[in-house]
Amino acid sequence: MTETAPATATPGTPTDPGTGSIAGPSVAYQNWIDRQSRNRRQVQVGRALILIAFLALWEVAPRAGLVNPMLTSYPSAVWEGFLELLAQGNLGLHIGVTLLEVMISFAVAMILGTVVAICLWLSPMLEKILDPFLVVGNALPKIALVPIFYIWLGPQGSIYAVAIAVALFITILMLYTGFSQTDPNKIKLARTLGAGKRQILTKVVLPGNVHTFMATLKANVGLSLVGVIVGEFQASKAGLGYLIVYGSQIFRMDMVMAAIVILSLMSVAIYLAVQKAETWLIR
């Protein structure tokens, strides 16, 4: 349970008898601030310890012969593989290709999914017609569509198609669920004041689902990245997915692990950017 902050000094609080100025924060409030700061430090230390323990185990286990280093590599070898990729001069190209594909797929899935969700909310009949198809589309393993997309759209187009397909259906379902669960009392009030359906959508439903939009954006970060990598496994000649496939073919697990680490950092960076946008938008 989140701890509630004690009340602090406001313009209406008593003034200091000695100076006539407004009294500072109370002792209880300052203690609460200290506890929150201490909790944040403990969380950061805990995360750091888990990461250090994981890296240490990963480094020691292959060197001690507990696991085959040909199958798992180890952090120092991954770092050397990363430096080798840098020295080859094309690592930036691979990262840029994957990042561009992720951002385009991410944007298309969000825009198209939002439009479809709005249409479903505006037309209950359309929602009833399309509901089983959306459920099946969301449940269908998208990796099964990769060969079909490759034949239909070619190498590059299939990457975007798979990434959009992975993120699109969950976007539609999440947004439509949020729209349909908007506070009915607010909708009744808007109707009482003479608002039409489009005005209710723009003045009540969309502003009331900012958190739903942001949750969908966060979910789509990972989904779009998964879709792009799956597409690159099949068809790409550049990108981090291509590096993973190429490294596995020549038994360079250090190269494979280096690409996976870069993917992890990329997903974290995109997620933090979305989280920053959420903070700005809510303010």
Side-chain angles (χ1 to χ4, degrees):
M1 181 180 296
T2 304
E3 194 174 357
T4 304
T8 186
T10 62
T13 56
T15 58
D16 189 320
T19 63
S21 60
I22 297 175
S26 65
V27 175
Y29 180 76
Q30 189 59 50
N31 290 337
W32 179 83
I33 291 293
D34 293 340
R35 285 197 302 272
Q36 295 302 306
S37 178
R38 185 165 57 251
N39 289 341
R40 285 193 294 270
R41 288 196 298 269
Q42 290 173 349
V43 169
Q44 293 170 354
V45 170
R47 291 172 177 172
L49 289 176
I50 291 174
L51 180 60
I52 292 171
F54 171 75
L55 293 176
L57 180 62
W58 185 12
E59 181 75 26
V60 170
R63 291 184 179 276
L66 300 178
V67 295
N68 189 345
M70 285 290 293
L71 301 178
T72 62
S73 190
Y74 39 88
S76 57
V78 171
W79 176 249
E80 293 174 0
F82 173 76
L83 294 178
E84 181 180 338
L85 290 173
L86 278 179
Q88 292 175 0
N90 56 3
L91 180 60
L93 170 64
H94 293 298
I95 294 175
V97 167
T98 297
L99 184 60
L100 178 63
E101 291 167 348
V102 169
M103 297 308 297
I104 292 176
S105 304
F106 177 76
V108 172
M110 277 303 303
I111 294 171
L112 187 57
T114 301
V115 171
V116 174
I118 289 174
C119 292
L120 295 177
W121 186 85
L122 289 172
S123 176
M125 179 60 69
L126 180 63
E127 187 275 330
K128 292 178 182 179
I129 294 173
L130 295 182
D131 180 66
F133 300 103
L134 293 173
V135 173
V136 172
N138 185 54
L140 180 69
K142 309 306 183 296
I143 192 172
L145 302 176
V146 174
I148 299 175
F149 286 147
Y150 182 82
I151 294 172
W152 288 354
L153 304 173
Q156 194 63 37
S158 64
I159 296 174
Y160 293 107
V162 173
I164 293 170
V166 168
L168 178 61
F169 293 99
I170 192 64
T171 300
I172 296 172
L173 294 175
M174 287 182 67
L175 290 180
Y176 176 74
T177 300
F179 294 167
S180 61
Q181 292 179 352
T182 303
D183 189 348
N185 293 323
K186 294 181 179 180
I187 295 177
K188 289 179 182 178
L189 176 60
R191 285 175 178 163
T192 302
L193 297 174
K197 198 155 190 177
R198 295 183 184 276
Q199 290 176 312
I200 294 174
L201 174 69
T202 57
K203 303 297 183 182
V204 179
V205 175
L206 293 180
N209 282 276
V210 172
H211 290 288
T212 304
F213 274 107
M214 301 314 300
T216 307
L217 284 172
K218 291 177 181 178
N220 277 352
V221 169
L223 293 175
S224 298
L225 192 56
V226 168
V228 165
I229 296 303
V230 169
E232 288 182 347
F233 283 169
Q234 173 72 24
S236 181
K237 295 182 179 179
L240 295 175
Y242 166 79
L243 281 181
I244 293 173
V245 173
Y246 177 71
S248 64
Q249 290 174 342
I250 61 175
F251 297 98
R252 286 289 304 275
M253 290 304 298
D254 55 341
M255 182 183 297
V256 173
M257 292 298 183
I260 292 174
V261 170
I262 295 171
L263 279 174
S264 301
L265 296 176
M266 182 185 298
S267 62
V268 169
I270 298 174
Y271 180 87
L272 292 177
V274 173
Q275 198 169 42
K276 196 75 173 178
E278 179 184 17
T279 304
W280 175 83
L281 185 60
I282 291 175
R283 286 178 180 176

